[in-house]
Amino acid sequence: GVACGRLERHEEAETAFRKALEIAPDDANFWKSLATALGHQDRFEDAVESIDHLLELVKTDAPVELREMAVQGLIEQGIRLGQLERPEDEITAYGQVLEYVRPDDPEGLRHLAAAGLVQQGVAFGLANRLEDEITVYDRVLEYVRPNDSEELRYLAAIGQGNRSVRLEQLGRLDDEIVAYDRVLEYVRPDDPEELRRLAAMALFSMGVTFGQLEQREDQIATYDRVLEYVRPDDPEETRLEAAKAL
């Protein structure tokens, strides 16, 4: 089944996983793999049902490996529910992720929790539940530490960047500045370009907000800080942030 999936022969993968489940119906990994095969065939309802079976087999206090599988399943379920245009169920699926993850778990599980929360935030935004979206992006930070991997810190920075956009829409400019400042807590000047670009964008936007608040000295100082995160050999879109600030 795994081999067929890698070859994108998803119908054959489904058949193999169903045969495996006939032998071992309580194997959570087989249910997760079946859901993935069904999703690749655009059989989203069946994929959602398969993940429900997976969740019945994994308790919230299960070993890390099983909880990780459950969380991966919930994130996939959220995606499939979104494709089925069931936004409330999608939001619920992402919210269930936190039942399986604790802030002191290994980074792999915390990464999945942060990813699920960012996805939930996006779903709240699409449902025009902006206050809920803002709250969720702050919850991401419960699962991310400043010394975590670049991939996990990226999720924290993305969440706070999204949060700042919503705060601007709501006219909460002081809170918006705080959100931009939090982006910088998770980005270092020697990080990969993708992360540094988030910091440069946050600083430029923060400068614009300082201008709206007529805090000119802060605006100028913030624009100067953009250069800490941009290099001459960066892609054009990143260097553009520096050019706009100057």
Side-chain angles (χ1 to χ4, degrees), residues 56-125:
E56 290 172 4
L57 297 170
V58 182
K59 297 180 180 179
T60 56
D61 60 352
V64 168
E65 295 77 10
L66 282 174
R67 287 189 286 127
E68 190 168 313
M69 196 181 302
V71 172
Q72 289 170 342
L74 280 165
I75 291 174
E76 182 170 354
Q77 189 176 59
I79 292 169
R80 300 312 179 200
L81 288 164
Q83 291 167 318
L84 289 167
E85 298 184 357
R86 291 165 55 183
E88 292 303 320
D89 291 333
E90 177 188 4
I91 287 167
T92 298
Y94 292 135
Q96 280 183 267
V97 164
L98 302 187
E99 297 177 17
Y100 292 89
V101 188
R102 296 181 287 271
D104 61 348
D105 271 328
E107 183 173 321
L109 253 178
R110 290 187 288 109
H111 185 281
L112 289 170
L117 285 167
V118 169
Q119 292 274 58
Q120 188 183 44
V122 172
F124 274 132

Side-chain angles (χ1 to χ4, degrees), residues 107 111 114 144-158 183 186-196 198 231:
E107 183 173 321
H111 185 281
V144 187
R145 302 164 188 164
N147 61 345
D148 278 331
S149 67
E150 297 152 5
E151 293 80 8
L152 186 45
R153 289 186 287 114
Y154 181 86
L155 290 171
I158 279 287
V183 171
Y186 295 91
V187 186
R188 297 187 286 265
D190 60 347
D191 273 330
E193 180 272 333
E194 189 176 28
L195 250 178
R196 290 186 287 104
L198 292 179
R231 302 171 185 168

Side-chain angles (χ1 to χ4, degrees), residues 200-246:
M201 292 169 61
L203 283 164
F204 176 76
S205 298
M206 189 191 301
V208 171
T209 305
F210 276 131
Q212 292 173 314
L213 293 169
E214 298 186 359
Q215 298 179 26
R216 304 302 178 192
E217 292 296 328
D218 290 328
Q219 182 180 24
I220 292 168
T222 298
Y223 286 147
D224 281 343
R225 292 186 63 194
V226 173
L227 301 180
E228 297 175 21
Y229 297 90
V230 182
R231 302 171 185 168
D233 59 346
D234 279 336
E236 182 179 351
E237 58 186 330
T238 300
R239 289 183 285 117
L240 182 60
E241 296 301 323
K244 289 190 295 186
L246 292 173

